[in-house]
Amino acid sequence: MKLYSIHDKEFAEYGSLPDLDTSALVDILKAKPCPAGGTVYVPEDKDLQACPAKDTVQRELYGGLPVQIGYCNGHNQTLNCLEWHTSSEINIPDSDIILLLARRQDIEDGKLDTSSVKAFLVPAGEAVEVYATTLHYAPCGVAGSGFRVIVVLPQGTNLARPAGAQDPVLWAANKWLLAHKDSSEAKQGAYVGLTGENITV
């Protein structure tokens, strides 16, 4: 699989690169635990929420709407699933990571072929906006390394699935999920919407 950079022109349809100083947030992130196997996702972390840089991110990237700042840390090399939100997501890694991305527009009859997925290298410390129309999931480490990644989303995203929701793809609040049949999420009842190879980087 070809590895692009977020600075390549191919990234333009998937996201943007906000010009913000996020070093204070990354300094806090470095103290957060990184599992030796698998990943941990914390939607909202009290230390990141208390950082003054949160106000800048909230104002400049979300137009003042309330946001939650958490993290996704651990080890991962496999696609497994793709998700989207009805809002952009901001990712800020403390080391180089790879994001596996696809376009929501390429979903046909509730299915997406993983051959349309592209891999993008995100350098340490760079903030990346992932558009609402971009399918994404847990980051991948470079050459098997672990990662810590700040995740910024509108408040309440990824929390409990709304009661009474009928859409089988809606997995949590503001989180639509397509799982590969080989993923643990599929075994937990997630909608199987990814066809083709379960990509490993």
Side-chain angles (χ1 to χ4, degrees):
M1 169 173 243
K2 181 173 181 178
L3 180 60
Y4 296 92
S5 165
I6 55 170
H7 297 288
D8 291 337
K9 60 181 177 55
E10 285 81 3
F11 182 69
E13 62 182 321
Y14 298 96
S16 73
L17 305 177
D19 184 17
L20 291 177
D21 181 1
T22 57
S23 56
L25 290 169
V26 173
D27 286 345
I28 295 170
L29 176 67
K30 289 180 181 295
K32 300 301 173 181
C34 180
T39 62
V40 59
Y41 172 64
V42 175
E44 188 170 313
D45 175 79
K46 63 180 179 57
D47 298 323
L48 292 169
Q49 288 287 113
C51 180
K54 178 216 171 180
D55 295 335
T56 303
V57 171
Q58 182 168 283
R59 181 182 65 250
E60 301 299 329
L61 302 185
Y62 288 89
L65 292 177
V67 299
Q68 61 191 33
I69 303 186
Y71 57 82
C72 180
N73 296 353
H75 289 73
N76 178 54
Q77 302 299 136
T78 309
L79 177 64
N80 287 322
C81 299
L82 286 170
E83 68 177 357
W84 74 89
H85 317 292
T86 56
S87 53
S88 289
E89 174 176 316
I90 307 300
N91 291 159
I92 312 164
D94 79 335
S95 58
D96 293 356
I97 60 167
I98 296 170
L99 292 180
L100 297 174
L101 307 177
R103 305 188 321 152
R104 187 177 171 190
Q105 299 94 311
D106 292 331
I107 299 173
E108 295 184 3
D109 298 322
K111 304 289 183 180
L112 181 98
D113 192 309
T114 60
S115 63
S116 65
V117 172
K118 290 183 179 178
F120 290 91
L121 179 67
V122 182
E126 287 213 42
V128 176
E129 176 188 8
V130 177
Y131 292 149
T133 52
T134 297
L135 306 178
H136 59 281
Y137 204 50
C140 294
V142 175
S145 62
F147 56 79
R148 293 178 176 85
V149 181
I150 289 168
V151 179
V152 187
L153 282 161
Q155 200 125 45
T157 298
N158 288 329
L159 301 186
R161 187 174 189 264
Q166 300 300 308
D167 186 349
V169 184
L170 184 62
W171 185 243
N174 193 25
K175 178 190 181 88
W176 286 261
L177 185 74
L178 303 177
H180 192 277
K181 64 180 178 59
D182 297 334
S183 68
S184 61
E185 288 85 349
K187 295 176 177 61
Q188 296 168 40
Y191 174 81
V192 177
L194 296 183
T195 61
E197 177 189 356
N198 190 13
I199 296 168
T200 298
V201 297

